[in-house]
Amino acid sequence: YVNYGVFKSTDGGTTWAKIYTTPVGAEGGAPPITALAVDPRSPSRLYLVVGFNQVLTSADDGSWSDLKVRADDPWSLAVDPTSPSTIYVGTYSGLIFRSTDGGGHWASTSNGLQASGVNVIATVASAPGTVYAGGHNGLFRSSDGAMTWAHLTLGVRNVGVYPLAV
């Protein structure tokens, strides 16, 4: 059994406190945490993707609640820095879901997105509504809050995108 979790430091990394422990599964293993995001306007609010079935949030480093995303396989997430109540969740099967009310309601926003798995999502603070998604088969961009997507070729069309920074 490996004890996975989320740790937080408030002193530049000198000391760490565990603020989330992944639950032990039926076989004794713990599901991985595949994504972590911080609300840019309220740094105490965190979002986690745990395993392939939960998106959790906490505002107090201890109490976690399930956001009940309608996806079977959440994998990545991002919080819009210009509108922190807007949250994007990417799935391993290649869909993206968006909430504009802090996770209360979710809608699929995958029009034109032909990703085979959404490994990573990034938002752009200087360009409201611009979202990038990296998948097993390339990089995608939306300029309208993830309503429509374009596959960016960048000279190489089918390259896997995992880490992504904007």
Side-chain angles (χ1 to χ4, degrees), residues 60-142:
D60 63 6
D61 298 335
S63 300
W64 293 89
S65 57
D66 189 342
L67 291 181
K68 307 220 183 286
V69 180
R70 300 179 337 188
D72 291 331
D73 55 353
W75 185 255
S76 57
L77 67 90
V79 178
D80 188 324
T82 61
S83 177
S85 61
T86 301
I87 306 161
Y88 301 96
V89 171
T91 69
Y92 196 75
S93 60
L95 300 174
I96 292 184
F97 291 85
R98 180 184 70 182
S99 173
T100 57
D101 61 2
H105 300 87
W106 295 91
S108 177
T109 58
S110 303
N111 187 23
L113 183 68
Q114 297 174 352
S116 62
V118 179
N119 303 319
V120 63
I121 301 173
T123 54
V124 183
S126 62
T130 301
V131 183
Y132 289 89
H136 301 315
N137 62 330
L139 185 62
F140 299 83
R141 179 182 60 215
S142 173

Side-chain angles (χ1 to χ4, degrees), residues 1 3 9 24 29 36 39 60 62-63 71-72 74 89 92 123 147 152 159-161 164:
Y1 164 67
N3 193 4
S9 175
V24 176
L36 169 82
D39 182 329
D60 63 6
S63 300
D72 291 331
V89 171
Y92 196 75
T123 54
M147 295 306 295
L152 305 179
V159 62
V161 178
L164 176 65

